[in-house]
Amino acid sequence: PVNVLSNTDSATTLATPTAIGSYNFTVVVVDNFGCTGSAARQFFIFALPDDTVAILGANTFCTGDSVTLSAAPGNGYNYQWMNNGVVLNGANNVNFTTTVSGNYSVEIEGNGCTDTSAATTVTVISAPAAIITGGDTGICTGASAVLSASTGNGYNYQWYESGFGIGGANNSTYSAIDSASYYVEVTVGGCSAQSDSVFVSVYPYPSDSVAVNGPTTFCAGGSVGLSTQTGNGYTYQWLNNGANLPGDVSSGLTVDSSGLYAVAVTANGCTSTSTEVQVVVTPYPDNTISAGGNTSFCQGDSV
């Protein structure tokens, strides 16, 4: 029979810095003849590594930012970082910086003891799309260019003109009426994105006045010259009684028939039409002579 005669529990800390205690076990064996033998063994107790993780920054941030997770340092510690339980190759330092969402934990090994930290959740919020679409960026005086920003759930907007915020311009669309550069800042979940700038040009209407070079009432066979102001890039279309005169597309027109004449002048896509000028062509009176009888007759008769 084997009888355990004694065992000793010692909480004495050993010289090894990472050991927090030891146990000394002794077994004494007595056989049937009274002979005894003993053996002793010492067991060392090591503390599990500190598994706390510090977050150096915000763990919820916008795309393009990052956060650093820091494990507890320890002499001789080895580290292995994981995301959603999957080992991250090469992530073996005490600190780990990430730009990706996930549940991060670290496995720490020291003195043969391994401990895994609780998961730390990192949330990366995608920046919203900020794109201006639609709208004619070349407009005429008095018109507007409707600029539209990309839309999304929870999106907030701020429009800017020439770099300055436009008060009250907080919708997904904005009607621009000034010559200037415009952009929009879109925000969702605290993350903002700024669109490229769009330049809107406002063009004045060209002058459409008509000069009359002579009387507008004249006899058949006569004519009058009409002309309008010229300008760089101007195009013209003359009209008679509201209908286009085919081919009459210069700045001047010679008129030899009655009607209401006007000119449409276009520049930079803006068209203005002049007031109508009335031209009256008067026909000559009938000057034929008709004979009421025979034009050859005897003296004393008549025709």
Side-chain angles (χ1 to χ4, degrees):
V2 178
N3 300 311
V4 177
L5 301 182
S6 67
N7 63 53
T8 304
D9 183 352
S10 171
T12 305
T13 301
L14 303 181
T16 305
T18 53
I20 62 172
S22 67
Y23 290 91
N24 296 310
F25 288 91
T26 301
V27 63
V28 179
V29 182
V30 180
D31 65 13
N32 292 334
F33 302 100
C35 299
T36 63
S38 65
R41 175 167 292 188
Q42 186 178 46
F43 294 88
F44 297 98
I45 302 171
F46 295 93
L48 289 173
D50 184 353
D51 64 0
T52 58
V53 173
I55 304 173
L56 307 181
N59 61 334
T60 298
F61 51 86
C62 303
T63 300
D65 292 336
S66 64
V67 66
T68 297
L69 307 177
S70 180
N75 186 28
Y77 279 11
N78 296 308
Y79 304 90
Q80 178 59 66
W81 290 91
M82 295 172 286
N83 182 12
N84 298 324
V86 178
V87 169
L88 298 170
N89 294 329
N92 306 116
N93 296 321
V94 64
N95 294 329
F96 177 71
T97 300
T98 183
T99 60
V100 180
S101 295
N103 297 307
Y104 290 87
S105 58
V106 62
E107 184 181 80
I108 307 173
E109 185 274 327
N111 299 307
C113 300
T114 301
D115 198 9
T116 301
S117 71
T120 298
T121 300
V122 172
T123 302
V124 180
I125 301 174
S126 298
I131 303 171
I132 296 178
T133 58
D136 184 357
T137 54
I139 58 175
C140 304
T141 301
S144 62
V146 179
L147 307 177
S148 299
S150 46
T151 59
N153 188 32
Y155 279 17
N156 296 302
Y157 305 90
Q158 176 59 62
W159 290 89
Y160 291 81
E161 178 182 331
S162 301
F164 296 95
I166 305 170
N170 308 118
N171 296 322
S172 61
T173 60
Y174 178 73
S175 297
I177 60 173
D178 298 320
S179 290
S181 62
Y182 295 86
Y183 68 86
V184 64
E185 183 178 74
V186 185
T187 302
V188 61
C191 298
S192 298
Q194 180 179 306
S195 72
D196 292 333
S197 293
V198 171
F199 194 85
V200 173
S201 298
V202 180
Y203 298 107
Y205 285 97
S207 173
D208 60 5
S209 60
V210 173
V212 180
N213 304 317
T216 56
T217 299
F218 49 85
C219 297
S223 65
V224 63
L226 306 179
S227 63
T228 188
Q229 183 175 331
T230 59
N232 187 32
Y234 280 17
T235 59
Y236 311 91
Q237 176 61 63
W238 288 91
L239 304 93
N240 182 14
N241 297 323
N244 289 346
L245 292 171
D248 290 323
V249 291
S250 62
S251 61
L253 178 70
T254 299
V255 175
D256 59 4
S257 59
S258 296
L260 296 172
Y261 291 86
V263 64
V265 185
T266 301
N268 297 309
C270 301
T271 301
S272 58
T273 303
S274 70
T275 55
E276 293 178 316
V277 174
Q278 185 173 28
V279 174
V280 177
V281 178
T282 304
Y284 284 98
D286 187 1
N287 62 355
T288 59
I289 298 175
S290 58
N294 195 342
T295 58
S296 296
F297 50 85
C298 298
Q299 184 174 1
D301 290 338
S302 66
V303 61

